[in-house]
Amino acid sequence: MKVNFGGIVPLSTVDWLGRAVMVVFLRGCPLSCPHCHNQNLQTGEHLVSMHTISSRIVSVVKGLPVASLARSGLEPSLQIDLEDASERASSKPFVDALVLSGGEPLLQVEACRRLFRLARSLKLATAIETSGCFPNGLQWLLEKGLVDKVFLDIKSALMEPDYEKATGRAGMAARVAESLSICFKSKVAFDVRCTIFPGMPTISQLVDIAETVCSLMGQYPDNRLDYVLLQQGTPREGESRFEPVAEQALHEMARACEAGCGRKLRISVRSIPKMSWKN
Ligand code: SF4
């Protein structure tokens, strides 16, 4: 099987707070968010075999550089069977979780399934970072019991034309709302993430998001929503500079969201550290 592959960050401590994770990026996304943080992964094709990606994952989990795998006889293809992967990972894992990100990972839902199966065999926890525009794919993975945590990005109030403005694509608000409901119903652990750029989303759009979340909390009291995270959006490489929304303003937005919710809504605020790439 070929995967439209974006890259691997072998170790990240910011994608899943409290865990040391490996992030695998899958290329391609149907949205065109104006401040896309991974614009180089929105489009294009870089097809890599699932076996090659699996080998790289195993090498990271074992703390082995790819070169040493090559020396150990896995070259020229660096390929191993998925079923063999767990046998190779006999040493203590270097990371404790696999996060799939993008692009939009659910665009390649079968690749997600296989990578999460590999993660399970390596005794890694699993998480997916998604824009929520493929609710059926999300539901399918959750029903297979392959996902421990969902990070659901919500870009604006869940209505049109707000969502189209935030994502460059019409018709997504209903799909993202469905993904949010799926997270509440399925009892998977999840965070709602809102990335805040100057004027996008506005405070009133954020309060709308918070009200939707609060209403679902009431409908599904045994849900496993951990946090609503307001994270500071920063200019991406090559984008015209702008001053990110100050952390203090983010805290004020968080208070406005909490005030509109009669329930205990855990809102966390953070600014984004830079990440380095390894292709
Ligand atoms: S959903 Fe994510 S990857 Fe897709 S365009 Fe928006 S920010 Fe970029």
Side-chain angles (χ1 to χ4, degrees):
M1 177 190 183
K2 295 283 185 188
V3 178
N4 196 5
F5 178 65
I8 289 180
V9 170
L11 176 64
S12 165
T13 54
V14 299
D15 282 80
W16 190 347
L17 291 182
R19 285 187 180 271
V21 309
M22 175 180 11
V23 188
V24 174
F25 293 85
L26 302 184
R27 184 177 292 275
C29 179
L31 307 185
S32 306
C33 305
H35 296 291
C36 177
H37 57 290
N38 282 338
Q39 205 177 29
N40 59 331
L41 296 183
Q42 260 183 24
T43 56
E45 197 171 76
H46 177 49
L47 296 178
V48 177
S49 79
M50 176 60 77
H51 286 275
T52 301
I53 297 169
S54 301
S55 299
R56 290 186 66 176
I57 290 172
V58 172
S59 75
V60 171
V61 170
K62 292 187 71 173
L64 279 174
V66 171
S68 74
L69 275 180
R71 280 197 300 277
S72 72
L74 288 172
E75 280 285 8
S77 62
L78 287 176
Q79 289 185 359
I80 58 173
D81 290 333
L82 287 179
E83 284 65 29
D84 289 346
S86 58
E87 289 174 30
R88 296 190 189 283
S90 54
S91 60
K92 188 170 166 48
F94 192 63
V95 296
D96 64 4
L98 173 72
V99 175
L100 298 184
S101 187
E104 171 49 63
L106 288 172
L107 200 55
Q108 301 180 75
V109 69
E110 174 59 17
C112 292
R113 185 187 73 82
R114 292 193 186 201
L115 290 168
F116 280 155
R117 259 189 52 204
L118 172 64
R120 284 274 186 260
S121 74
L122 294 169
K123 300 195 174 11
L124 299 178
T126 58
I128 191 158
E129 296 180 331
T130 176
S131 61
C133 54
F134 292 109
N136 293 343
L138 179 62
Q139 173 109 44
W140 185 71
L141 282 180
L142 292 176
E143 282 170 359
K144 294 196 172 306
L146 289 171
V147 187
D148 295 315
K149 176 99 183 191
V150 176
F151 297 101
L152 179 63
D153 281 337
I154 297 190
K155 318 274 184 191
S156 188
L158 289 165
M159 62 182 83
E160 304 292 359
D162 303 46
Y163 227 79
E164 180 176 359
K165 190 170 173 211
T167 63
R169 176 106 189 246
M172 292 296 125
R175 291 202 202 185
V176 179
E178 191 181 341
S179 291
L180 181 63
S181 292
I182 287 168
C183 289
F184 271 97
K185 287 180 203 165
S186 69
K187 302 190 187 77
V188 69
F190 70 106
D191 286 355
V192 169
R193 285 178 173 170
C194 302
T195 306
I196 315 294
F197 297 95
M200 183 182 282
T202 61
I203 289 196
S204 87
Q205 286 167 333
L206 273 176
V207 169
D208 273 351
I209 296 169
E211 284 174 356
T212 303
V213 169
C214 276
S215 161
L216 287 163
M217 286 169 78
Q219 270 178 264
Y220 303 100
D222 53 353
N223 72 82
R224 294 181 61 207
L225 171 64
D226 288 328
Y227 287 100
V228 174
L229 179 66
L230 305 188
Q231 60 187 14
Q232 183 188 53
T234 52
R236 64 166 183 267
E237 213 175 302
E239 186 178 16
S240 318
R241 299 282 107 185
F242 59 81
E243 196 56 43
V245 175
E247 207 166 313
Q248 192 185 337
L250 294 180
H251 282 287
E252 283 163 18
M253 291 174 177
R255 281 193 289 276
C257 291
E258 284 162 350
C261 182
R263 296 175 182 82
K264 183 67 195 150
L265 187 59
R266 290 196 293 179
I267 300 190
S268 170
V269 163
R270 75 166 169 169
S271 51
I272 305 288
K274 287 203 182 332
M275 291 206 305
S276 60
W277 280 83
K278 186 177 179 196
N279 284 309

